[in-house]
Amino acid sequence: MKYLLLVLILISPSAYATDLILGGWSSHGSQSEYEKLNETHYALGVIFDNGLTLITFKNSFYKQSAVVGYTKELSKFNHGKYSVSTSVTVGIVTGYSEEQAEGAWLGGGASMYLLPTLTIGYDRFKIDTGISIAFDKALITNNFRYTF
């Protein structure tokens, strides 16, 4: 999947902006000693100018996941090279069991994916912070983004 994403980046038309997503860290709040969730996700993905979003990452349960979705920018404020924006990504994610996906389970190994995000940037470099409700508590995610 990582190679597919790199190929898509390389063949994407240069007239379109493409954001490369790297990293991926999360905070699940307090965890019991019996449930050590993964908080380093090694994410690699792209967000194309038309909103198409493709991401692969190691999920909280140490399984490889893939997201196919759409990212919609909701608001954006620019001041010189600085920017602050909000967006939401909706789509389908793989890599979770029915029990792990809770109410988002769609069947066939797929679950709904919904992630509202606040992005702070300088020039082409950005940091995304997403907040989602998972495992009966807030899940905070972070990753780096670079715009080509």
Side-chain angles (χ1 to χ4, degrees), residues 46-94:
V46 291
I47 301 173
F48 293 100
D49 194 42
N50 64 4
L52 175 62
T53 304
L54 306 170
I55 309 167
T56 183
F57 62 97
K58 184 82 63 175
N59 71 27
S60 300
F61 299 99
Y62 300 90
K63 302 274 184 177
Q64 196 64 34
S65 287
V67 173
V68 175
Y70 174 77
T71 299
K72 172 70 174 164
E73 188 171 79
L74 303 173
S75 65
K76 186 169 187 175
F77 172 77
N78 289 315
H79 183 71
K81 290 188 174 189
Y82 296 94
S83 65
V84 176
S85 63
T86 59
S87 63
V88 63
T89 302
V90 295
I92 305 294
V93 63
T94 64

Side-chain angles (χ1 to χ4, degrees), residues 9-61:
I9 291 169
L10 294 174
I11 65 171
S12 68
S14 60
Y16 297 105
T18 302
D19 284 5
L20 176 65
I21 297 170
L22 295 171
W25 298 270
S26 64
S27 175
H28 297 86
S30 61
Q31 298 181 39
S32 72
E33 64 183 80
Y34 302 105
E35 182 180 37
K36 294 295 182 195
L37 299 172
N38 179 33
E39 294 189 337
T40 303
H41 303 288
Y42 307 103
L44 177 63
V46 291
I47 301 173
F48 293 100
D49 194 42
N50 64 4
L52 175 62
T53 304
L54 306 170
I55 309 167
T56 183
F57 62 97
K58 184 82 63 175
N59 71 27
S60 300
F61 299 99

